[in-house]
Amino acid sequence: MSRLARRPRADHRHTAEEARRRPGAWVTVGEYRNAASASDLAYRIRSGCDIGRVAYGTPYEPAGAFESRTSRTEDGTLLEARYTGGTTAVDLDAVWADAVASLSGGTV
């Protein structure tokens, strides 16, 4: 039986920095074989919880400053995040356009 190829580790500091440079844009965190792992990490990104060891901390601070989403792929689960700055004033037209585009597999 052959082993599955090792996937590159997610560089969370780089991902958080990229998301901060592009507020509102979805940035790929990584692709995970296990949907539960991707969902757990998505929660940690949204809530600002520690990722991995407590000493590592989280680059996704403050809590509520990032959104995350998961989607099934052929090889597992894709995890994406975007920086919102934790503001509640969101452009609802942009949110709906993004949601419709992700459902239709294209742009609106």
Side-chain angles (χ1 to χ4, degrees), residues 23-82:
W26 289 104
V27 177
T28 298
V29 176
E31 187 172 2
Y32 297 83
R33 285 193 184 96
N34 186 321
S37 296
S39 294
D40 178 61
L41 190 52
Y43 168 78
R44 290 173 180 276
I45 289 171
R46 288 190 307 272
S47 63
C49 290
D50 291 333
I51 296 171
R53 294 180 296 213
V54 175
Y56 181 70
T58 181
Y60 304 105
E61 293 181 314
F66 287 85
E67 293 179 339
S68 59
R69 69 181 180 188
T70 59
S71 57
R72 298 285 301 156
T73 65
E74 188 175 307
D75 297 325
T77 303
L78 178 68
L79 173 59
E80 297 174 299
R82 71 177 169 185

